[in-house]
Amino acid sequence: MISRVLKENKIRELRLLLERCENIVITCHVSPDGDAIGSSLAMYHVLNVLGKNVKIVTPDMLPKNLLFLPGAKEIVPFTKYGDFGRQLFANADLIFCLDFNAPYRVDKMADVLLKSKAKKVLIDHHLDPENFADVVISHPEMSSTCLLVFRVLCRLELFNQINKKAAECIYTGMMTDTGNFTYNSEDPDIYIIIAELLKKGINKDYLYSKVCNTHSESRIRLNGYAVSQKMQLFPEHQVALITLTQDELRKYGYEKGDTESLVNIPLSIPEITYSVFMRDDVEYIKVSTRSKGDFAVNRICESYFNGGGHKNAAGGEFRGTLDEAVGVFMSILDENDKYLKK
Ligand code: 5GP
Ligand code: MN
């Protein structure tokens, strides 16, 4: 048995909303990852079993390595099908907001989401959810929204409606948000749930391979170049920095997702406590940060890079040049030292 963590009153409210609704929209954060897509699709499959009319609308396109997930091709990306997406939000009587904590995380869809008259249910594991949903199931102590969706479904007595397709989607998000169970993955319930998903017929090795072993030659070369030529270590500050300019990205035929796990690589050096990656995306500088232990990178992203996230994985968007972003990074090294274990 897994531990009981969800509040009964929230489950009761959600059950009532589900009984009364017909048209459901599920949405998640911009640049969706395995957890955002996994939790959305898992909910989608179970609601389909219940006979609901349900659609997933994402703010933008899915990364290619998630397109194999069952149901992924039915997803409506707002950047491609704006009018259809708008219509779905307008006709919905219930909206699930999964894996994000604030309307701005759905990017250009925020207005459409907020204006919809549908009841909104937030299921998420990011800190400090903004007050925009009718039912808020927020558990920052959970390693993934997928884990939370599994728990919600169980408490709604829908365990039997979790079919193999839903199980595959849940496992994928649990896996990607914990770096394949290498961080935030001490909770014993994770492994009890994995056992249940295996009994539902998932093949975890196949899922790992589909999500992680899909790299193109150019991606591998870009990452190799970034590590060998662009990684700067600041051992006295226990930090690593990697930057990639537009020219470098173009030279290696960069495609969205190609630098997905680059920021993690320097963390495998024992002396490095946190790692920062900056990519020039023209419109802004995309900043990604990762850390080990108690060192919080979301504080850095919130304060200096217009973003946020979790203690050990956070990101943001810097409005300015790459050089300016590096300047900010350099200027806060001393301040960050205060939070390091020496
Ligand atoms: P990544 O570095 O993979 O883009 O993001 C890591 C985590 O940081 C994400 O799961 C998300 O929680 C958070 N994150 C990334 N970018 C942003 C951002 O622009 N704003 C906020 N609030 N969080 C972000
Ligand atoms: Mn997540």
Side-chain angles (χ1 to χ4, degrees), residues 184-246:
N184 289 340
S185 52
E186 290 292 286
D187 173 9
D189 285 350
I190 289 177
Y191 304 94
I192 297 175
I193 292 171
I194 293 174
E196 294 299 335
L197 299 176
L198 287 166
K199 285 190 240 165
K200 299 257 181 201
I202 69 160
N203 178 336
K204 63 185 267 306
D205 300 349
Y206 159 82
L207 292 170
Y208 174 85
S209 190
K210 289 299 260 185
V211 175
C212 299
N213 297 341
T214 57
H215 300 175
S216 61
E217 178 187 343
S218 58
R219 172 184 172 140
I220 293 171
R221 291 197 190 281
L222 172 65
N223 282 270
Y225 165 75
V227 172
S228 79
Q229 306 296 314
K230 299 302 304 285
M231 182 175 74
Q232 289 174 266
L233 299 184
F234 302 84
E236 66 282 21
H237 300 288
Q238 302 178 23
V239 64
L241 173 68
I242 299 176
T243 61
L244 286 173
T245 65
Q246 258 300 306

Side-chain angles (χ1 to χ4, degrees), residues 106-129:
V106 296
D107 207 34
K108 299 196 169 62
M109 225 164 65
D111 260 6
V112 182
L113 170 67
L114 292 174
K115 277 190 195 131
S116 168
K117 292 190 188 68
K119 293 281 184 191
K120 299 174 191 74
V121 177
L122 178 112
I123 304 178
D124 178 49
H125 68 140
H126 293 88
L127 286 169
D128 308 324

Side-chain angles (χ1 to χ4, degrees), residues 207-309:
L207 292 170
Y208 174 85
S209 190
K210 289 299 260 185
V211 175
C212 299
N213 297 341
T214 57
H215 300 175
S216 61
E217 178 187 343
S218 58
R219 172 184 172 140
I220 293 171
R221 291 197 190 281
L222 172 65
N223 282 270
Y225 165 75
V227 172
S228 79
Q229 306 296 314
K230 299 302 304 285
M231 182 175 74
Q232 289 174 266
L233 299 184
F234 302 84
E236 66 282 21
H237 300 288
Q238 302 178 23
V239 64
L241 173 68
I242 299 176
T243 61
L244 286 173
T245 65
Q246 258 300 306
D247 280 351
E248 290 165 333
L249 294 168
R250 231 177 283 123
K251 181 174 170 205
Y252 285 91
Y254 169 79
E255 283 184 32
K256 208 171 163 205
D258 277 356
T259 57
E260 194 64 48
S261 52
L262 181 56
V263 64
N264 292 303
I265 293 175
L267 284 187
S268 55
I269 303 171
E271 292 75 24
I272 295 299
T273 299
Y274 68 110
S275 165
V276 178
F277 168 56
M278 295 178 177
R279 187 184 64 223
D280 189 345
D281 279 357
V282 187
E283 221 180 310
Y284 50 79
I285 307 300
K286 167 68 192 163
V287 178
S288 274
T289 57
R290 298 289 186 275
S291 67
K292 295 189 262 202
D294 287 334
F295 188 92
V297 278
N298 52 352
R299 177 187 51 79
I300 298 176
C301 290
E302 276 160 27
S303 305
Y304 299 100
F305 298 114
N306 197 25

